[in-house]
Amino acid sequence: MSTDTPDDPDSTASTNDQRARQQLLELAAQFYDQFADGDVPSMSVPTRSKSNIEYDPEKGVWVLGDRNTTRSANSVGGAQKLLKAIYVIEFLADQLDQDRSSTLRELYYLSESWDLDAAQFNSQDESNQLVEDLEIVADVTREDFHMRPEESGATVIGPLFLREQTRRGEREIHCQEDVGEGGYQIPNNPDTIEFLDHDAEFVLAVETGGMRDRLVENGFDEDRDAIVVHLKGQPARATRRITKRLHDELDLPVVVFTDGDPWSYRIYGSVAYGSIKSAHLSEYLATPQADFVGIQPEDIVEYDLPTDPLSDSDVNALESELEDPRFQSEYWTEQIELQLDIGKKAEQQALASRGLDFVTDTYLPERLDAMGVL
Amino acid sequence: MSTDTPDDPDSTASTNDQRARQQLLELAAQFYDQFADGDVPSMSVPTRSKSNIEYDPEKGVWVLGDRNTTRSANSVGGAQKLLKAIYVIEFLADQLDQDRSSTLRELYYLSESWDLDAAQFNSQDESNQLVEDLEIVADVTREDFHMRPEESGATVIGPLFLREQTRRGEREIHCQEDVGEGGYQIPNNPDTIEFLDHDAEFVLAVETGGMRDRLVENGFDEDRDAIVVHLKGQPARATRRITKRLHDELDLPVVVFTDGDPWSYRIYGSVAYGSIKSAHLSEYLATPQADFVGIQPEDIVEYDLPTDPLSDSDVNALESELEDPRFQSEYWTEQIELQLDIGKKAEQQALASRGLDFVTDTYLPERLDAMGVL
């Protein structure tokens, strides 16, 4: 039993808000100064094309490279981009001031209410990209701007006691004793959570709902002192963030349990190394210490699991993973080559072919023991 | 403030289990008797093709018609079907006996462990269909067999106090005071819930997560005494079931709030009238008294909402809804014809173009007042 005690989350949250607001206003002030000095206003942002995203072997995550793109008012297109940025900065600063929040989609629609037609967005891609630009330039996260994702629905169950700062006041919740079988719903911004106490030995992040429910029914979280995080397929930012915080703040090993196919290895990759799309946030979202439990291609052979044949797109995805810097270890090369060789893939729930308790009585204990987690 | 007090949920649950198990065993006994009498074993199930599904205008839901299909052991194919049914009956009876549960996908994989190759399923469609057959023939629900869906992740927030019977004991949860901003996660089988108390005036079922979060942030559930159910797109059975129970047991009006396009009208339809796929369960899942809030085609015009043009498949879907018995009212005919006429659709979140509070301060109060709910 151990616990980390960060500062009072209330003051932390508002400090974050103040800092985010301040950074935005400084950006606006920069445009003002450029005008005042007779310069053409401009804003420089790191280029976010694939060619400017690098794998940092030391940190073990994706990071942005050194190249920058300048948005300058010396063209009509550039001037419009800056105009839209200023409208968004004003909207976000007000939102933070009023302690409100909104979704990316609402921001896109809200622009229709702006008085200047030229400031309105033509597509949600455009407004999403501008918010990402502002994240990078202001060096804060979208969550700090109080921008919410559409939804995620991911959950946590396990021996974890936490306090969530909600708009309706604080809620103290034990993620086994105070929740139903569905577990604790991860909020859009998990930085509103403070971890109060726990009895956990490790964090088990699970891809599918069927397997998450199996582990809960079999009492795996209780018997093995595991915090079970349901990834729900490719995990949302909030899910990756809470996983990282469980690792960093509670010093818990994190293991990732997915189907045995190339798309699921990418799910593991996004938990561990970050994604190309959010490379500017890898240090906020990625858990490079996270390990892969399986389903490993060698498990398909060893446990004689029911399989499906690899499709052409599976084979292509595996071959591109062989080139992917995140999978350049001996372990992954072996596993991926084995899978290409046997030409098969298997789902987590295929373990049920050995009985409903096989995953919790045999498979996970064997794998976690081999990995040094149990 | 009112509350329904059903029987002790513990005894109810086990009575249900006992009844489900009994019905299954009777089915097996019927095969035995057929053998003993020198008859060829057979099982008769209502035909579930589209032509045998009827809209019952009195009940206001889809129901199965009178035609039956007989699965008989007088052909190899028929005999195999009955063999598989017997294996599944044995598995389900054991599962109920041991108070365990499993997913449809696990059942499919489990069949690989059965001693007789001929009893194994060739596809999950086959095992899913057999479970549906058994639901109908045994006159119980899949939930009574303890078969779980893959996942749903739908949530409830509002002035509702409930008790959930979990495998870890009872949990009493107030769906505002005891949950985070994510709300209360609906369990796979909401019949494990007993409603203890509430302060609600109505139930608002919402399609998208973005709108659900907007209502929660704006405090709509608190200000208007609303139980907000997040449908998460096409709602899972558990979501439809809890919605029906909130209506039937707490006598609360149910209103459904979706995007303004033909696919969302179908979401409303599945809450209110049931779906073709689960026509045999309409009386368990459907809430014929549920009303549609919007986005109505006339709202698009009246509130001048941002829109997208109808695609060809949107137009086809609207035209098929004009023929759909569920939408044969004056109201729906008018709305659908208006939408075909203007050639536009709008999302819930498009209301943000009038400001973030417009939906809770203006749109919903106006609509709910017109509908007689507020």
Side-chain angles (χ1 to χ4, degrees):
Chain A
M1 166 109 32
S2 75
T3 174
D4 258 41
T5 313
D7 300 331
D8 173 24
D10 210 9
S11 70
T12 307
S14 59
T15 308
N16 269 352
D17 289 0
Q18 278 165 22
R19 176 167 171 272
R21 192 164 181 275
Q22 197 51 42
Q23 301 276 82
L24 286 169
L25 294 182
E26 273 168 26
L27 199 59
Q30 174 193 312
F31 296 144
Y32 184 90
D33 291 345
Q34 287 167 335
F35 270 118
D37 294 350
D39 296 334
V40 177
S42 68
M43 175 171 86
S44 177
V45 294
T47 308
R48 291 208 303 293
S49 66
K50 203 168 170 179
S51 63
N52 194 41
I53 289 170
E54 297 162 2
Y55 181 73
D56 181 330
E58 203 163 309
K59 292 179 183 156
V61 298
W62 290 98
V63 294
L64 288 172
D66 295 331
R67 280 196 289 129
N68 283 296
T69 306
T70 300
R71 314 227 191 281
S72 162
N74 64 7
S75 72
V76 174
Q80 268 197 336
K81 276 204 162 71
L82 293 186
L83 176 70
K84 292 175 190 190
I86 291 166
Y87 269 83
V88 171
I89 288 171
E90 185 183 15
F91 166 71
L92 293 174
D94 284 351
Q95 171 162 288
L96 289 168
D97 206 35
Q98 295 160 23
D99 192 24
R100 304 213 46 183
S101 66
S102 54
T103 66
L104 292 168
R105 193 135 192 85
E106 284 177 323
L107 170 62
Y108 162 63
Y109 280 124
L110 259 177
S111 76
E112 301 233 359
S113 69
W114 292 345
D115 49 4
L116 207 58
D117 283 358
Q120 296 174 8
F121 292 112
N122 300 312
S123 73
Q124 200 186 333
D125 278 350
E126 194 187 2
S127 52
N128 286 357
Q129 208 201 327
L130 178 52
V131 170
E132 276 178 28
D133 282 353
L134 293 177
E135 276 188 305
I136 299 171
V137 176
D139 191 27
V140 293
T141 66
R142 191 177 74 197
E143 288 76 5
D144 291 328
F145 292 148
H146 292 196
M147 293 302 295
R148 290 187 263 106
E150 283 314 299
E151 63 182 279
S152 129
T155 57
V156 167
I157 198 161
L160 173 68
F161 184 49
L162 56 80
R163 180 187 294 140
E164 180 185 331
Q165 185 68 40
T166 78
R167 304 184 155 267
R168 298 149 191 232
E170 291 180 348
R171 299 283 185 271
E172 295 193 349
I173 296 170
H174 189 283
C175 298
Q176 280 167 335
E177 292 161 21
D178 301 328
V179 298
E181 292 205 337
Y184 168 69
Q185 179 85 18
I186 302 170
N188 289 316
N189 180 3
D191 285 354
T192 57
I193 294 171
E194 181 186 2
F195 301 134
L196 297 176
D197 203 353
H198 76 91
D199 275 310
E201 294 292 329
F202 65 105
V203 175
L204 180 62
V206 182
E207 176 181 355
T208 65
M211 181 51 75
R212 179 260 174 215
D213 290 342
R214 166 61 44 218
L215 299 178
V216 172
E217 171 167 334
N218 290 9
F220 188 79
D221 56 314
E222 296 179 319
D223 298 344
R224 303 289 181 166
D225 301 327
I227 296 173
V228 175
V229 176
H230 180 198
L231 296 174
K232 281 185 91 82
Q234 189 67 45
R237 282 166 64 141
T239 317
R240 288 183 278 156
R241 175 65 181 159
I242 200 170
T243 303
K244 181 185 180 54
R245 288 191 56 208
L246 288 167
H247 173 272
D248 289 0
E249 294 174 30
L250 306 182
D251 203 22
L252 294 173
V254 170
V255 297
V256 180
F257 183 23
T258 69
D259 288 340
D261 65 48
W263 318 101
S264 294
Y265 309 151
R266 288 188 188 174
I267 288 176
Y268 162 68
S270 88
V271 171
Y273 312 114
S275 61
I276 289 178
K277 192 173 152 41
S278 59
H280 60 292
L281 291 167
S282 288
E283 291 179 51
Y284 171 78
L285 295 176
T287 311
Q289 303 84 355
D291 272 332
F292 183 68
V293 175
I295 305 290
Q296 312 175 99
E298 74 176 88
D299 298 334
I300 296 175
V301 180
E302 190 174 332
Y303 296 106
D304 190 23
L305 299 179
T307 56
D308 285 309
L310 293 178
S311 67
D312 289 349
S313 69
D314 291 334
V315 171
N316 289 340
L318 284 169
E319 280 169 351
S320 100
E321 280 167 8
L322 280 177
E323 306 296 314
D324 187 324
R326 296 180 294 177
F327 294 101
Q328 287 310 311
S329 63
E330 201 182 319
Y331 169 79
W332 277 110
T333 308
E334 255 183 50
Q335 294 296 327
I336 292 170
E337 283 175 352
L338 172 62
Q339 185 150 32
L340 286 167
D341 196 41
I342 60 176
K344 291 170 182 168
K345 60 185 176 183
E347 297 185 357
Q348 302 190 288
Q349 291 195 74
L351 292 164
S353 68
R354 308 286 296 268
L356 294 178
D357 294 330
F358 183 75
V359 62
T360 45
D361 285 357
T362 308
Y363 177 77
L364 283 176
E366 284 182 8
R367 281 290 297 138
L368 294 170
D369 181 54
M371 294 163 74
V373 174
L374 276 191
Chain B
M1 163 108 37
S2 76
T3 174
D4 259 40
T5 313
D7 300 329
D8 175 26
D10 210 9
S11 71
T12 308
S14 59
T15 308
N16 269 353
D17 290 1
Q18 279 166 21
R19 174 166 173 272
R21 190 162 182 277
Q22 198 51 43
Q23 301 276 83
L24 287 168
L25 294 181
E26 274 169 25
L27 200 57
Q30 172 193 313
F31 297 143
Y32 185 90
D33 291 343
Q34 287 168 335
F35 270 119
D37 294 350
D39 295 334
V40 177
S42 68
M43 174 171 87
S44 176
V45 294
T47 309
R48 290 209 302 294
S49 66
K50 206 170 168 178
S51 62
N52 194 41
I53 289 170
E54 298 161 3
Y55 181 73
D56 180 332
E58 203 162 310
K59 293 178 182 156
V61 298
W62 289 98
V63 294
L64 288 173
D66 295 331
R67 278 197 287 128
N68 283 296
T69 305
T70 299
R71 313 228 192 279
S72 163
N74 64 5
S75 72
V76 174
Q80 269 197 338
K81 277 205 160 72
L82 293 185
L83 177 71
K84 291 176 191 190
I86 291 166
Y87 269 83
V88 172
I89 287 171
E90 184 183 15
F91 165 72
L92 292 175
D94 284 352
Q95 170 161 290
L96 289 168
D97 205 36
Q98 294 160 25
D99 192 22
R100 304 210 49 181
S101 65
S102 54
T103 66
L104 292 167
R105 192 137 193 85
E106 284 176 324
L107 170 62
Y108 162 64
Y109 281 123
L110 259 178
S111 76
E112 302 234 357
S113 70
W114 293 344
D115 49 6
L116 207 59
D117 282 359
Q120 296 174 10
F121 292 110
N122 300 312
S123 72
Q124 199 186 334
D125 277 351
E126 195 187 1
S127 50
N128 287 356
Q129 208 201 327
L130 179 52
V131 171
E132 276 178 27
D133 282 353
L134 293 177
E135 275 189 305
I136 298 171
V137 176
D139 191 27
V140 294
T141 66
R142 193 176 74 198
E143 288 76 6
D144 291 329
F145 292 148
H146 292 197
M147 294 303 295
R148 289 188 263 104
E150 284 314 299
E151 63 181 275
S152 132
T155 57
V156 167
I157 199 161
L160 173 68
F161 184 49
L162 56 79
R163 179 187 295 140
E164 180 185 330
Q165 185 69 40
T166 79
R167 305 185 154 268
R168 299 148 190 231
E170 290 180 349
R171 299 284 186 270
E172 295 193 350
I173 296 170
H174 189 284
C175 298
Q176 279 167 336
E177 289 160 22
D178 301 329
V179 298
E181 292 204 338
Y184 168 70
Q185 179 85 18
I186 301 170
N188 289 315
N189 180 3
D191 286 353
T192 57
I193 294 172
E194 180 186 2
F195 300 132
L196 298 175
D197 204 353
H198 77 92
D199 275 310
E201 295 292 329
F202 64 105
V203 175
L204 180 63
V206 182
E207 176 180 355
T208 67
M211 180 52 73
R212 180 260 174 214
D213 291 343
R214 165 61 44 218
L215 299 179
V216 173
E217 171 168 334
N218 290 9
F220 188 78
D221 55 314
E222 297 179 318
D223 298 345
R224 303 289 182 163
D225 301 327
I227 297 174
V228 175
V229 176
H230 179 196
L231 297 173
K232 283 185 91 80
Q234 188 67 44
R237 283 166 62 139
T239 317
R240 286 182 279 156
R241 175 65 181 159
I242 200 170
T243 303
K244 181 185 182 53
R245 287 191 57 209
L246 288 167
H247 173 273
D248 289 0
E249 295 174 29
L250 306 183
D251 203 21
L252 293 173
V254 170
V255 297
V256 180
F257 183 23
T258 69
D259 288 340
D261 64 48
W263 318 101
S264 295
Y265 308 151
R266 288 187 189 176
I267 289 175
Y268 161 69
S270 87
V271 172
Y273 312 113
S275 61
I276 289 178
K277 193 173 151 39
S278 59
H280 59 294
L281 292 167
S282 287
E283 291 179 52
Y284 171 76
L285 296 176
T287 311
Q289 303 82 356
D291 272 331
F292 182 68
V293 176
I295 306 290
Q296 312 176 99
E298 73 175 86
D299 297 336
I300 297 176
V301 179
E302 189 174 335
Y303 296 106
D304 191 23
L305 299 178
T307 57
D308 285 310
L310 294 177
S311 69
D312 288 349
S313 68
D314 291 334
V315 171
N316 289 340
L318 285 170
E319 281 169 352
S320 98
E321 281 167 6
L322 280 178
E323 306 297 314
D324 187 324
R326 297 180 292 177
F327 294 102
Q328 287 310 311
S329 63
E330 202 183 320
Y331 170 78
W332 277 110
T333 308
E334 254 183 51
Q335 294 297 326
I336 293 171
E337 283 176 352
L338 172 62
Q339 185 150 33
L340 286 167
D341 195 43
I342 60 177
K344 291 171 182 170
K345 59 185 175 183
E347 297 184 356
Q348 300 189 292
Q349 292 193 73
L351 291 165
S353 68
R354 308 285 297 267
L356 294 178
D357 294 330
F358 183 75
V359 63
T360 44
D361 285 357
T362 306
Y363 177 77
L364 283 177
E366 284 182 6
R367 281 290 297 139
L368 295 170
D369 181 52
M371 294 163 74
V373 173
L374 277 191

